Amino acid sequence: MAITAGLQVSPTREIEGSAILTVANLEVVYSRVIVAVQGVSLKVPEHSIVTVLGTNGAGKSTTVRAISGFLPVDDAEIRKGSIHFRGQSIGGLPPYQIARFGIVLVPERRKIFETLTVWDNLRIAHVRNDKPSNWNQQAERLFGVFPALAARREQLAGYLSGGERQMLAIAQGLLCDPKLLIVDELSLGLAPNLVHDLMERIQQLRHEFGISILLIEQDALSAIEIADYGYIMEGGRIVFEGSPEKLRNHKDVQEFYLGSGGDGRTSYREVKQYRRSRRWWG
Amino acid sequence: MGYAHVSLMLVILIQASFYVLLGMGYVLIYRATRVLNLAHGDLMVFGAFLFYQGLVITSGSVPLAITTGILGAALTGAIVYLGLMRPLAGYPVAVGVLATIALAIVLRSVTTAIWSGQTRYPAEYIGQLARPIELVSGLSISAIDAVIVLTALICILGLPLLLRRSAIGVEMRGVSENALLAAQRGINIHSVNALSWAAATVMAAIAGIFFSLKVRLGPDIWYVGLAGFAPALIGGMDSLRGVAIGALIVATAEVLAARFIAPQIALAAPFLVLLVALWIRPWGLFGSREELERI
């Protein structure tokens, strides 16, 4: 219905600047039967923050797993489409090779080593980052961005708070010297003001480390704050995309993802109805 | 004979040291692959035979023979991991444990095929090591026993420090906790695990070398190595310091049982203690409760 009206989403559509990551027409199938992601195309331009929004089961995590090479772990495979990173096809490569290309994932769960100290958590990360001088310099810069971590250097990571864990996970990922940092559910289980604060630091890190960032989020409101471009996924497809202003101003996006609609129609039953009616789209 | 009780304690200490060497091997492997390695005893025998072969070839050069045993054991451990355990990653733990049983039986027949089932006494080659050292008048310890205690002490102090401080130790702990994340952060988890297996097999070989020098060598001494999982399990399977305590408990039970009940019961003592420990505290003294389901 309205959410797609007047919008043409085509995989070949160009975003400003050269893309560091290009996903085209991706189709992922679990156990050879269940189609989890269908015809997903997205681009992450150099030095930009792109967000993929959507509810549980929308296919966000599957897309991330396809990009980072973790599909075989769950008996899933890419059936169609391609994933290119800086011009090279990386679809179907094993995770460690993808990590060496410079794609680093901060996973949704189990993102730090709880039995190691904060410092050990950091020094364990060194893919692509072999030069000690470079590594030390980056570690110091990260302590600058996350002073809370510097204060807890010698503490076991298992004792960190949720926000500090997220900081540590991001810092650990950055020490692998990525070109593209993928953060899966930054906001998960964190207080809203903390999420806001973390988002700001993500933006700061983008400039300081000169990287591109792909944010996979349920918390659309805070992700849109810092993103340059956003995609909305639903039922394994991308149903809407655009600049933050476009996302923010679109009435249906407001209603369903930002929770700030306003025609008084707030019944959850109607929401479901609405979704079912446009399932044909794709 | 005022030293009777002291000498009894010394016997316990020596036995405990032996168990420390064996038990730490179990812990290293468990931490790497979450598998109770039931082939540890046969790896121990294999390492000891490599040492013996070194003695035969070099006609009695102990340093060369020990080097042969240790390098051979390290290589064996790495091969076992890369060839047998790595392909089994992702399967239920029971599959891995069963694979180690199969490995044990294969190793045993290979050892018997190469060296025959005959009992050897490598100590013949190094007569002077059996000479007793007098600690105080009336109380003495044989040189080999002194070396056993010293080696165990070095391991108790050194290994945890190595795991805690060194870069490779931190990587080992990281891989042990979350292999997926470790792989993502650029750690070659298979070489780290192969190293753990190599180190554990070397420790088994060292224990085997000691046993063969102290008592005897033959393919049938594998059960001595198997008894090493009792202290490891009592200590908590994933805890190195737990092994030291577990070894002390098991050795005390074993020596006291042999002295005051019957020597025949000594063989069963480690497992009797293990049964009691499993009954009271199945996750071990220093183990984590969450590990329980994985054994």
Side-chain angles (χ1 to χ4, degrees):
Chain A
M1 237 172 79
I3 200 161
T4 64
L7 275 166
Q8 283 298 315
V9 186
S10 89
T12 50
R13 198 190 39 75
E14 290 295 320
I15 305 172
E16 297 292 307
S18 64
I20 187 167
L21 178 81
T22 317
V23 177
N25 271 321
L26 184 72
E27 183 170 320
V28 176
V29 181
Y30 279 87
S31 314
R32 289 186 197 80
V33 227
I34 304 149
V35 181
V37 161
Q38 213 169 2
V40 164
S41 300
L42 57 90
K43 280 187 178 183
V44 181
E46 201 104 41
H47 303 302
S48 67
I49 299 181
V50 171
T51 181
V52 176
L53 308 168
T55 52
N56 276 332
K60 307 190 300 291
S61 288
T62 303
T63 310
V64 167
R65 277 187 202 138
I67 295 169
S68 51
F70 279 99
L71 287 180
V73 180
D74 304 315
D75 191 23
E77 57 179 352
I78 298 173
R79 199 158 68 177
K80 274 186 214 154
S82 65
I83 304 171
H84 281 85
F85 184 67
R86 307 172 101 194
Q88 256 174 311
S89 173
I90 57 163
L93 289 183
Y96 73 95
Q97 276 186 21
I98 290 174
R100 282 191 193 145
F101 275 115
I103 298 182
V104 168
L105 169 70
V106 177
E108 188 181 342
R109 270 162 287 141
R110 308 230 304 148
K111 60 188 101 190
I112 53 168
F113 300 101
E114 297 188 358
T115 55
L116 304 186
T117 63
V118 168
W119 178 245
D120 283 343
N121 257 286
L122 294 176
R123 79 180 166 133
I124 205 169
H126 52 57
V127 61
R128 286 167 46 86
N129 207 350
D130 291 332
K131 263 201 290 182
S133 58
N134 187 33
W135 193 94
N136 285 329
Q137 199 189 330
Q138 290 193 337
E140 283 314 310
R141 253 198 295 172
L142 282 167
F143 280 138
V145 181
F146 300 122
L149 292 182
R152 298 182 181 272
R153 233 173 132 108
E154 296 304 321
Q155 234 171 59
L156 280 185
Y159 295 125
L160 295 183
S161 71
E164 287 162 349
R165 274 164 194 252
Q166 196 62 271
M167 291 178 201
L168 180 58
I170 292 168
Q172 195 187 58
L174 283 172
L175 282 172
C176 293
D177 201 19
K179 294 277 169 266
L180 172 68
L181 184 74
I182 305 176
V183 186
D184 198 357
E185 303 285 6
L186 181 87
S187 66
L188 195 77
L190 298 180
N193 58 344
L194 208 57
V195 175
H196 183 75
D197 180 49
L198 275 175
M199 289 288 180
E200 278 182 350
R201 294 197 210 188
I202 290 267
Q203 211 166 18
Q204 184 187 348
L205 289 170
R206 179 249 302 250
H207 293 303
E208 278 197 29
F209 284 78
I211 53 172
S212 312
I213 294 168
L214 182 59
L215 280 178
I216 310 298
E217 266 301 331
Q218 295 206 37
D219 184 351
L221 210 53
S222 32
I224 283 179
E225 288 284 306
I226 62 161
D228 303 313
Y229 201 81
Y231 295 87
I232 292 177
M233 280 191 83
E234 214 180 287
R237 293 152 198 263
I238 286 176
V239 293
F240 190 83
E241 65 175 286
S243 64
E245 296 76 43
K246 207 158 138 191
L247 290 177
R248 218 177 277 127
N249 295 334
H250 200 285
K251 198 168 129 275
D252 298 302
V253 175
Q254 278 179 3
E255 189 164 337
F256 294 113
Y257 297 99
L258 305 180
S260 58
D263 302 341
R265 189 178 57 138
T266 46
S267 159
Y268 195 62
R269 203 156 119 221
E270 277 177 75
V271 171
K272 274 185 180 165
Q273 203 79 33
Y274 181 92
R275 281 185 170 181
R276 203 174 300 132
S277 70
R278 58 180 179 74
R279 188 151 279 178
W280 57 270
W281 193 88
Chain B
M1 293 302 284
Y3 288 122
H5 56 287
V6 181
S7 87
L8 190 66
M9 273 156 68
L10 208 57
V11 173
I12 291 175
L13 186 69
I14 293 162
Q15 191 64 23
S17 303
F18 185 66
Y19 278 134
V20 162
L21 294 175
L22 282 170
M24 284 191 165
Y26 280 94
V27 170
L28 281 177
I29 285 177
Y30 181 79
R31 291 175 65 119
T33 21
R34 302 286 149 194
V35 154
L36 176 64
N37 176 25
L38 293 176
H40 207 65
D42 292 278
L43 286 168
M44 176 193 97
V45 175
F46 190 70
F49 264 111
L50 288 176
F51 162 75
Y52 173 76
Q53 194 62 48
L55 275 181
V56 173
I57 291 172
T58 62
S59 48
S61 161
V62 181
L64 280 180
I66 288 181
T67 314
T68 313
I70 286 180
L71 287 184
L75 200 65
T76 311
I79 290 173
V80 167
Y81 173 74
L82 294 174
L84 183 70
M85 300 315 293
R86 187 176 74 160
L88 295 180
Y91 287 97
V93 168
V95 177
V97 178
L98 288 176
T100 66
I101 294 179
L103 171 70
I105 293 164
V106 170
L107 261 177
R108 205 171 305 159
S109 45
V110 167
T111 309
T112 316
I114 299 176
W115 289 287
S116 85
Q118 196 192 330
T119 299
R120 325 283 169 106
Y121 297 93
E124 288 167 357
Y125 285 87
I126 40 167
Q128 75 276 13
L129 262 184
R131 200 180 48 203
I133 304 166
E134 200 158 30
L135 294 174
V136 281
S137 62
L139 185 71
S140 56
I141 181 171
S142 77
I144 180 74
D145 285 341
V147 172
I148 293 176
V149 174
L150 219 63
T151 313
L153 216 62
I154 292 171
C155 288
I156 291 174
L157 298 176
L159 264 182
L161 201 69
L162 204 72
L163 278 177
R164 197 153 293 282
R165 294 266 167 256
S166 74
I168 183 70
V170 171
E171 288 189 3
M172 277 182 180
R173 281 156 62 216
V175 170
S176 168
E177 189 199 318
N178 189 344
L180 209 64
L181 186 63
Q184 275 172 293
R185 295 298 171 257
I187 295 159
N188 187 338
I189 55 172
H190 292 309
S191 55
V192 169
N193 282 342
L195 191 69
S196 293
W197 269 81
T201 311
V202 165
M203 296 204 64
I206 290 173
I209 291 169
F210 286 152
F211 190 84
S212 70
L213 286 175
K214 200 170 137 69
V215 190
R216 66 191 162 87
L217 173 63
D220 59 317
I221 61 167
W222 57 269
Y223 68 85
V224 179
L226 189 67
F229 91 72
L233 212 61
I234 291 171
M237 215 58 208
D238 58 346
S239 159
L240 282 177
R241 64 186 169 146
V243 172
I245 309 294
L248 219 52
I249 294 172
V250 170
T252 307
E254 187 176 333
V255 171
L256 292 185
R259 184 68 57 93
F260 296 111
I261 305 173
Q264 291 89 336
I265 207 103
L267 208 63
F271 296 99
L272 288 175
V273 178
L274 176 63
L275 284 178
V276 175
L278 284 178
W279 179 42
I280 305 172
R281 209 178 148 85
W283 56 91
L285 292 173
F286 293 93
S288 32
R289 231 176 247 253
E290 307 83 71
E291 289 295 327
L292 196 55
E293 61 196 85
R294 301 195 200 153
I295 293 175

PDB file of all heavy atoms in Angstrom, chain B residues 39-52:
ATOM      1  N   ALA B  39      42.339 -40.982  25.086  1.00  0.00           N
ATOM      2  CA  ALA B  39      43.546 -41.558  24.494  1.00  0.00           C
ATOM      3  C   ALA B  39      44.802 -41.038  25.186  1.00  0.00           C
ATOM      4  O   ALA B  39      45.913 -41.348  24.767  1.00  0.00           O
ATOM      5  CB  ALA B  39      43.606 -41.233  23.003  1.00  0.00           C
ATOM      6  N   HIS B  40      44.610 -40.241  26.243  1.00  0.00           N
ATOM      7  CA  HIS B  40      45.766 -39.613  26.877  1.00  0.00           C
ATOM      8  C   HIS B  40      46.771 -40.650  27.366  1.00  0.00           C
ATOM      9  O   HIS B  40      47.982 -40.465  27.220  1.00  0.00           O
ATOM     10  CB  HIS B  40      45.296 -38.738  28.041  1.00  0.00           C
ATOM     11  CG  HIS B  40      46.218 -37.602  28.336  1.00  0.00           C
ATOM     12  ND1 HIS B  40      46.435 -36.581  27.444  1.00  0.00           N
ATOM     13  CD2 HIS B  40      46.988 -37.332  29.404  1.00  0.00           C
ATOM     14  CE1 HIS B  40      47.297 -35.729  27.965  1.00  0.00           C
ATOM     15  NE2 HIS B  40      47.652 -36.165  29.156  1.00  0.00           N
ATOM     16  N   GLY B  41      46.258 -41.737  27.961  1.00  0.00           N
ATOM     17  CA  GLY B  41      47.142 -42.787  28.461  1.00  0.00           C
ATOM     18  C   GLY B  41      47.988 -43.400  27.352  1.00  0.00           C
ATOM     19  O   GLY B  41      49.183 -43.637  27.518  1.00  0.00           O
ATOM     20  N   ASP B  42      47.376 -43.616  26.206  1.00  0.00           N
ATOM     21  CA  ASP B  42      48.113 -44.228  25.103  1.00  0.00           C
ATOM     22  C   ASP B  42      49.057 -43.244  24.429  1.00  0.00           C
ATOM     23  O   ASP B  42      50.115 -43.629  23.937  1.00  0.00           O
ATOM     24  CB  ASP B  42      47.123 -44.828  24.101  1.00  0.00           C
ATOM     25  CG  ASP B  42      46.405 -46.008  24.715  1.00  0.00           C
ATOM     26  OD1 ASP B  42      46.968 -47.101  24.717  1.00  0.00           O
ATOM     27  OD2 ASP B  42      45.302 -45.802  25.257  1.00  0.00           O
ATOM     28  N   LEU B  43      48.672 -41.958  24.437  1.00  0.00           N
ATOM     29  CA  LEU B  43      49.610 -40.940  23.954  1.00  0.00           C
ATOM     30  C   LEU B  43      50.825 -40.894  24.875  1.00  0.00           C
ATOM     31  O   LEU B  43      51.959 -40.712  24.432  1.00  0.00           O
ATOM     32  CB  LEU B  43      48.924 -39.567  23.899  1.00  0.00           C
ATOM     33  CG  LEU B  43      47.936 -39.385  22.753  1.00  0.00           C
ATOM     34  CD1 LEU B  43      47.105 -38.116  22.951  1.00  0.00           C
ATOM     35  CD2 LEU B  43      48.668 -39.293  21.418  1.00  0.00           C
ATOM     36  N   MET B  44      50.560 -41.079  26.168  1.00  0.00           N
ATOM     37  CA  MET B  44      51.643 -41.111  27.150  1.00  0.00           C
ATOM     38  C   MET B  44      52.600 -42.257  26.841  1.00  0.00           C
ATOM     39  O   MET B  44      53.824 -42.075  26.789  1.00  0.00           O
ATOM     40  CB  MET B  44      51.041 -41.272  28.556  1.00  0.00           C
ATOM     41  CG  MET B  44      52.062 -41.407  29.651  1.00  0.00           C
ATOM     42  SD  MET B  44      51.312 -41.955  31.210  1.00  0.00           S
ATOM     43  CE  MET B  44      51.651 -43.700  31.128  1.00  0.00           C
ATOM     44  N   VAL B  45      52.038 -43.441  26.597  1.00  0.00           N
ATOM     45  CA  VAL B  45      52.860 -44.618  26.296  1.00  0.00           C
ATOM     46  C   VAL B  45      53.661 -44.384  25.009  1.00  0.00           C
ATOM     47  O   VAL B  45      54.857 -44.673  24.943  1.00  0.00           O
ATOM     48  CB  VAL B  45      51.977 -45.875  26.145  1.00  0.00           C
ATOM     49  CG1 VAL B  45      52.814 -47.064  25.706  1.00  0.00           C
ATOM     50  CG2 VAL B  45      51.270 -46.168  27.449  1.00  0.00           C
ATOM     51  N   PHE B  46      52.986 -43.831  24.021  1.00  0.00           N
ATOM     52  CA  PHE B  46      53.635 -43.580  22.732  1.00  0.00           C
ATOM     53  C   PHE B  46      54.830 -42.643  22.905  1.00  0.00           C
ATOM     54  O   PHE B  46      55.929 -42.897  22.393  1.00  0.00           O
ATOM     55  CB  PHE B  46      52.608 -42.998  21.754  1.00  0.00           C
ATOM     56  CG  PHE B  46      53.093 -42.927  20.333  1.00  0.00           C
ATOM     57  CD1 PHE B  46      53.284 -44.084  19.588  1.00  0.00           C
ATOM     58  CD2 PHE B  46      53.362 -41.704  19.742  1.00  0.00           C
ATOM     59  CE1 PHE B  46      53.728 -44.017  18.284  1.00  0.00           C
ATOM     60  CE2 PHE B  46      53.814 -41.634  18.430  1.00  0.00           C
ATOM     61  CZ  PHE B  46      53.993 -42.794  17.703  1.00  0.00           C
ATOM     62  N   GLY B  47      54.616 -41.567  23.654  1.00  0.00           N
ATOM     63  CA  GLY B  47      55.698 -40.615  23.911  1.00  0.00           C
ATOM     64  C   GLY B  47      56.850 -41.268  24.645  1.00  0.00           C
ATOM     65  O   GLY B  47      58.026 -41.041  24.325  1.00  0.00           O
ATOM     66  N   ALA B  48      56.511 -42.101  25.629  1.00  0.00           N
ATOM     67  CA  ALA B  48      57.557 -42.777  26.397  1.00  0.00           C
ATOM     68  C   ALA B  48      58.360 -43.727  25.507  1.00  0.00           C
ATOM     69  O   ALA B  48      59.578 -43.842  25.636  1.00  0.00           O
ATOM     70  CB  ALA B  48      56.930 -43.539  27.560  1.00  0.00           C
ATOM     71  N   PHE B  49      57.660 -44.377  24.572  1.00  0.00           N
ATOM     72  CA  PHE B  49      58.371 -45.282  23.659  1.00  0.00           C
ATOM     73  C   PHE B  49      59.270 -44.508  22.698  1.00  0.00           C
ATOM     74  O   PHE B  49      60.352 -44.988  22.339  1.00  0.00           O
ATOM     75  CB  PHE B  49      57.378 -46.150  22.878  1.00  0.00           C
ATOM     76  CG  PHE B  49      57.173 -47.500  23.510  1.00  0.00           C
ATOM     77  CD1 PHE B  49      55.965 -47.831  24.103  1.00  0.00           C
ATOM     78  CD2 PHE B  49      58.198 -48.435  23.528  1.00  0.00           C
ATOM     79  CE1 PHE B  49      55.783 -49.073  24.687  1.00  0.00           C
ATOM     80  CE2 PHE B  49      58.029 -49.679  24.119  1.00  0.00           C
ATOM     81  CZ  PHE B  49      56.810 -49.997  24.710  1.00  0.00           C
ATOM     82  N   LEU B  50      58.818 -43.333  22.288  1.00  0.00           N
ATOM     83  CA  LEU B  50      59.680 -42.506  21.434  1.00  0.00           C
ATOM     84  C   LEU B  50      60.968 -42.161  22.188  1.00  0.00           C
ATOM     85  O   LEU B  50      62.069 -42.196  21.641  1.00  0.00           O
ATOM     86  CB  LEU B  50      58.947 -41.226  21.013  1.00  0.00           C
ATOM     87  CG  LEU B  50      57.826 -41.381  19.992  1.00  0.00           C
ATOM     88  CD1 LEU B  50      57.130 -40.046  19.764  1.00  0.00           C
ATOM     89  CD2 LEU B  50      58.374 -41.911  18.664  1.00  0.00           C
ATOM     90  N   PHE B  51      60.791 -41.835  23.452  1.00  0.00           N
ATOM     91  CA  PHE B  51      61.944 -41.553  24.318  1.00  0.00           C
ATOM     92  C   PHE B  51      62.859 -42.777  24.385  1.00  0.00           C
ATOM     93  O   PHE B  51      64.077 -42.678  24.228  1.00  0.00           O
ATOM     94  CB  PHE B  51      61.434 -41.158  25.708  1.00  0.00           C
ATOM     95  CG  PHE B  51      62.449 -41.255  26.808  1.00  0.00           C
ATOM     96  CD1 PHE B  51      63.457 -40.302  26.938  1.00  0.00           C
ATOM     97  CD2 PHE B  51      62.395 -42.297  27.732  1.00  0.00           C
ATOM     98  CE1 PHE B  51      64.381 -40.397  27.970  1.00  0.00           C
ATOM     99  CE2 PHE B  51      63.317 -42.397  28.746  1.00  0.00           C
ATOM    100  CZ  PHE B  51      64.315 -41.448  28.866  1.00  0.00           C
ATOM    101  N   TYR B  52      62.235 -43.943  24.605  1.00  0.00           N
ATOM    102  CA  TYR B  52      63.002 -45.185  24.699  1.00  0.00           C
ATOM    103  C   TYR B  52      63.761 -45.448  23.397  1.00  0.00           C
ATOM    104  O   TYR B  52      64.935 -45.819  23.405  1.00  0.00           O
ATOM    105  CB  TYR B  52      62.048 -46.343  25.011  1.00  0.00           C
ATOM    106  CG  TYR B  52      62.699 -47.695  24.961  1.00  0.00           C
ATOM    107  CD1 TYR B  52      63.530 -48.125  25.998  1.00  0.00           C
ATOM    108  CD2 TYR B  52      62.502 -48.538  23.871  1.00  0.00           C
ATOM    109  CE1 TYR B  52      64.132 -49.364  25.952  1.00  0.00           C
ATOM    110  CE2 TYR B  52      63.107 -49.778  23.817  1.00  0.00           C
ATOM    111  CZ  TYR B  52      63.917 -50.193  24.862  1.00  0.00           C
ATOM    112  OH  TYR B  52      64.519 -51.414  24.798  1.00  0.00           O
TER     113      TYR B  52
END
